[in-house]
Amino acid sequence: MKSFKNHLSLIMAIVTILFSLQIFTITERAIDAYESNLKENYSIVVVSEKKISQKTFQQMHPLIKKSELISADHVLKNIKLQMKQTNIKLLKTALPKFYRIHLSKFPSPDQIDAITNAIKEHVGVTRVESFENSHNTTYKLLLLFKQVVLVLAIFIFVVTSLLMLKEMRIWQFQHTERMSIMALFGAPVWLRSAVLFRLAVIDALLATLIACIVFVGMVNYGWIESELDVIGIHITIFDLFNDGLSMLMLALGLSLFLATMIVLGHKEEV
Amino acid sequence: MDKVIYAHNLSLAYNDRETIINDTSFSIESGSFVFITGASGSGKSTLLKSFYGAITPKRGDLIVGGVELSDIAPKKLNLLRRHLGIVFQNYRLVNEWSIEKNVMLPLIISGYSKEVSTSQVEKLLRHVKLSHQTGKYPQELSGGEQQRVAMARALSHNPILILADEPTGNLDDYSSQVIWNLLQGANLQLKTTVVVVTHNIPKTLNLEYKHFHLENGVLNEVL
């Protein structure tokens, strides 16, 4: 029973760390998906008297991914009804070219300024509309969200580090006497440490299994996915193969690190 | 007769502090039964610890089982310890292991097969009259029974030398007598050298023994 309790305390510590890792991964994925959504929906409108090719636009700034010409019909559709067909034809020929510019990533306000200035410098460009105000608000919100996640990650790191330290002390207390007794009868270091490493591997496997079961259950329940769907974010909450493997690697790495520290820190009692 | 322990101008100290054993010379012959007595704090246990390499000599020579212990490599020390049986006052059993596994420990370390180890453990548990307690853990046994398990562990791998530090210090008269009988049996029947650190030499022993007394850091034979 005592041995089970000892196992449980380490397993729970590892499960907490794995849980934190996966929650952080989910948050990162959600932010990335949201940023990607913003990038898709965001564009800069350019008005130019001369035709500008996509290649020319791309040469203006590295963030410019593609450009599309907005059809004159689209520009004129609101005033079409009140004008004669011949006037519309005349107006079409006189109208400047309208371009919608798509970027390769969601830009910062400084990058928008740089892109706007680069486009403005081109001969024939009369106006560049970057919708700066609404963009800035969204960008600042995203930045805030990222910082909150970062603070949360640091907090989790500190807490889990303390948990690990506590576990290390418990393990040291539990295993020092046995390792000393084994040393008195001439056991080599690998044999003295074998029990410790076996326990470390077993606990890591059990902790990974528990964490995987919880996250698979969470995916099946579907609550988080439906909440994210509402804001248009579609992400993988838990990928049993990739995320499970990352969890296993982290759990094994942590517990083996713990065991190694105990073995290295072990001094024979005199 | 071969000398199983040989010390020449031996000095022992914990770190660089005060010297506990000071420039002493002695030898213990193979197959002998030796008592080391002395007042509390005289350094008896420290001297015994030096025999199994837990303390390295500060000065002088110390040879145990033909192995020089000054500046000994860890690998060589492990090999030496596989030929020693150590008994402590506080038993020092692994509490999370069954008594069989505790007794089996030196056999596992020495690389005996499972069959040989199991049969040796059964034999020894019968010898120390604990075969009815198999499957139990140390904390489920009395102090006397735990010391019998420790004795069985010390004997399991047929050591050349048994080192016992106050082996009856925590036991009642009956349990003490059982332990003395086991040590006496190992010496008489198996010809194992036995070195016991104690306050009092039992009067009930039926064997010849040597008596060393430790005083002011020097070990002298009491004739």
Side-chain angles (χ1 to χ4, degrees):
Chain A
M1 190 65 192
K2 193 182 164 197
S3 168
F4 175 72
K5 272 185 193 169
N6 293 340
H7 269 277
L8 198 68
S9 59
L10 182 76
I11 290 169
M12 287 320 290
I14 301 175
V15 166
T16 311
I17 292 165
L18 296 182
F19 220 81
S20 314
L21 168 84
Q22 193 56 26
I23 295 289
F24 183 68
T25 308
I26 293 169
T27 315
E28 275 275 296
R29 279 179 193 158
I31 291 174
D32 286 348
Y34 187 67
E35 207 173 56
S36 178
N37 278 357
L38 284 176
K39 184 194 80 188
E40 292 303 320
N41 295 331
Y42 178 77
S43 59
I44 295 170
V45 174
V46 177
V47 185
S48 171
E49 286 167 351
K50 287 180 179 174
K51 203 172 176 184
I52 306 172
S53 71
Q54 179 163 289
K55 203 176 170 188
T56 313
F57 272 120
Q58 284 169 339
Q59 282 165 351
M60 290 178 196
H61 197 279
L63 271 186
I64 295 175
K65 188 181 164 191
K66 63 172 185 176
S67 65
E68 60 179 285
L69 183 66
I70 302 169
S71 131
D73 292 333
H74 182 74
V75 178
L76 293 171
K77 77 176 175 192
N78 291 333
I79 51 172
K80 250 180 182 177
L81 298 170
Q82 294 133 31
M83 292 178 81
K84 285 181 183 172
Q85 201 61 28
T86 47
N87 290 344
I88 289 170
K89 272 185 184 170
L90 275 171
L91 195 60
K92 261 187 186 177
T93 51
L95 262 180
K97 309 286 178 203
F98 291 86
Y99 294 96
R100 185 173 285 127
I101 307 292
H102 295 276
L103 305 178
S104 56
K105 71 178 259 272
F106 194 66
S108 67
D110 287 344
Q111 283 170 328
I112 287 189
D113 285 345
I115 294 165
T116 310
N117 291 337
I119 297 170
K120 273 179 182 168
E121 278 172 16
H122 196 267
V123 181
V125 173
T126 54
R127 195 180 160 94
V128 179
E129 183 53 69
S130 62
F131 310 101
E132 210 165 343
N133 285 341
S134 66
H135 166 273
N136 278 356
T137 313
T138 316
Y139 188 80
K140 279 173 186 165
L141 201 67
L142 196 68
L143 219 60
L144 179 75
F145 194 38
K146 271 191 167 179
Q147 275 164 354
V148 168
V149 171
L150 187 71
V151 169
L152 190 72
I154 292 168
F155 177 74
I156 289 167
F157 177 78
V158 171
V159 171
T160 47
S161 299
L162 290 173
L163 264 172
M164 271 179 66
L165 272 173
K166 189 172 172 280
E167 278 313 309
M168 197 183 276
R169 287 203 188 104
I170 293 169
W171 273 42
Q172 230 156 7
F173 177 74
Q174 283 171 353
H175 298 284
T176 295
E177 175 67 359
R178 190 194 56 242
M179 285 167 77
S180 295
I181 293 168
M182 290 178 86
L184 287 172
F185 287 90
V189 176
W190 67 265
L191 188 62
R192 279 179 244 168
S193 326
V195 181
L196 198 62
F197 281 105
R198 199 176 62 212
L199 284 176
V201 171
I202 290 170
D203 287 359
L205 289 174
L206 284 173
T208 309
L209 188 71
I210 292 169
C212 283
I213 289 170
V214 169
F215 278 103
V216 167
M218 218 180 254
V219 170
N220 287 336
Y221 186 59
W223 175 77
I224 297 178
E225 270 177 335
S226 62
E227 287 294 312
L228 289 171
D229 274 350
V230 172
I231 49 170
I233 292 172
H234 309 286
I235 55 160
T236 310
I237 300 292
F238 183 70
D239 174 2
L240 189 57
F241 183 74
N242 288 321
D243 294 342
L245 200 68
S246 305
M247 280 183 174
L248 182 65
M249 290 296 125
L250 180 71
L252 278 173
L254 278 174
S255 51
L256 291 177
F257 169 74
L258 207 72
T260 309
M261 291 303 286
I262 292 164
V263 171
L264 292 177
H266 176 255
K267 278 183 186 155
E268 198 177 321
E269 285 173 55
V270 178
Chain B
M1 233 181 215
D2 290 342
K3 285 167 184 146
V4 74
I5 299 176
Y6 171 80
H8 181 68
N9 296 339
L10 177 71
S11 292
L12 298 172
Y14 288 108
N15 304 319
D16 287 328
R17 283 176 280 166
E18 195 186 351
T19 306
I20 296 160
I21 302 295
N22 200 4
D23 206 22
T24 193
S25 300
F26 61 92
S27 63
I28 293 172
E29 285 157 359
S30 180
S32 59
F33 198 112
V34 173
F35 284 104
I36 296 174
T37 58
S40 294
S42 59
K44 305 185 294 292
S45 296
T46 305
L47 183 64
L48 198 81
K49 282 173 184 174
S50 74
F51 297 162
Y52 57 85
I55 297 169
T56 314
K58 190 182 174 189
R59 277 191 305 274
D61 301 320
L62 177 63
I63 299 169
V64 176
V67 178
E68 171 65 62
L69 286 177
S70 310
D71 205 26
I72 188 174
K75 225 174 182 176
K76 218 171 169 188
L77 182 64
N78 284 339
L79 288 174
L80 169 69
R81 284 177 176 180
R82 287 176 208 173
H83 297 287
L84 307 179
I86 311 169
V87 183
F88 300 93
Q89 184 177 356
N90 58 354
Y91 331 124
R92 295 200 72 174
L93 300 171
V94 181
N95 286 325
E96 58 266 34
W97 288 355
S98 68
I99 58 169
E100 294 96 306
K101 197 171 175 185
N102 269 286
V103 176
M104 205 181 275
L105 176 66
L107 298 165
I108 296 168
I109 292 168
S110 297
Y112 285 90
S113 71
K114 201 174 178 186
E115 289 75 26
V116 173
S117 305
T118 309
S119 118
Q120 176 76 343
V121 169
E122 279 173 15
K123 201 172 88 184
L124 279 160
L125 286 177
R126 266 200 309 275
H127 182 62
V128 298
K129 296 183 174 54
L130 283 174
S131 48
H132 62 291
Q133 301 280 35
T134 51
K136 286 197 173 172
Y137 287 81
Q139 283 165 333
E140 296 174 275
L141 305 179
S142 69
E145 288 172 326
Q146 287 190 52
Q147 194 61 303
R148 273 144 67 192
V149 174
M151 273 302 303
R153 180 180 64 183
L155 292 168
S156 65
H157 51 307
N158 297 321
I160 56 161
L161 173 65
I162 291 178
L163 301 168
D165 189 0
E166 303 270 12
T168 58
N170 286 343
L171 307 181
D172 58 30
D173 289 347
Y174 171 75
S175 297
S176 297
Q177 193 52 52
V178 173
I179 297 302
W180 290 126
N181 289 345
L182 287 167
L183 287 169
Q184 190 173 283
N187 181 250
L188 292 175
Q189 289 153 30
L190 305 169
K191 305 291 174 212
T192 310
T193 312
V194 178
V195 177
V196 182
V197 160
T198 186
H199 277 293
N200 303 303
I201 299 173
K203 291 170 183 127
T204 51
L205 285 182
N206 296 315
L207 50 72
E208 276 186 33
Y209 61 82
K210 279 192 174 181
H211 178 196
F212 287 92
H213 188 74
L214 187 62
E215 199 170 2
N216 299 324
V218 178
L219 193 68
N220 290 310
E221 189 173 354
V222 181
L223 299 167

